[in-house]
Amino acid sequence: MAQTIEFNVTGMTCDHCVNAVTNAVKELEGVSDVSVSLENKSAVVTGSVVDVTKVIAAIEEEGYEAAVK
Ligand code: 9UX
């Protein structure tokens, strides 16, 4: 049973930012799908086990700020 969690992501200003966030989160264990929106300043993360703390840490490592929506 997969779960989907939406995050607010701030600091993204271009498509490269979107790719950086997407790739960082996609690498995380248990994550099967990531949809990042520059326009909505959001990341929708789906997976068998979505570790909120790890998702936020991965996004912050790329230089952006994230929080659960
Ligand atoms: Mo280009 Mo997006 O430096 O930060 S990746 S604006």
Side-chain angles (χ1 to χ4, degrees), residues 4 6 47 59:
T4 300
E6 188 164 2
I59 293 173

Side-chain angles (χ1 to χ4, degrees), residues 11 13-17 64:
T13 55
C14 73
D15 284 337
H16 294 115
C17 301
Y64 309 100

Side-chain angles (χ1 to χ4, degrees), residues 41-64:
K41 297 178 166 58
S42 69
V44 179
V45 182
T46 303
S48 54
V49 192
V50 178
D51 186 326
V52 169
T53 308
K54 282 184 180 168
V55 171
I56 291 173
I59 293 173
E60 290 182 344
E61 263 175 43
E62 297 299 318
Y64 309 100

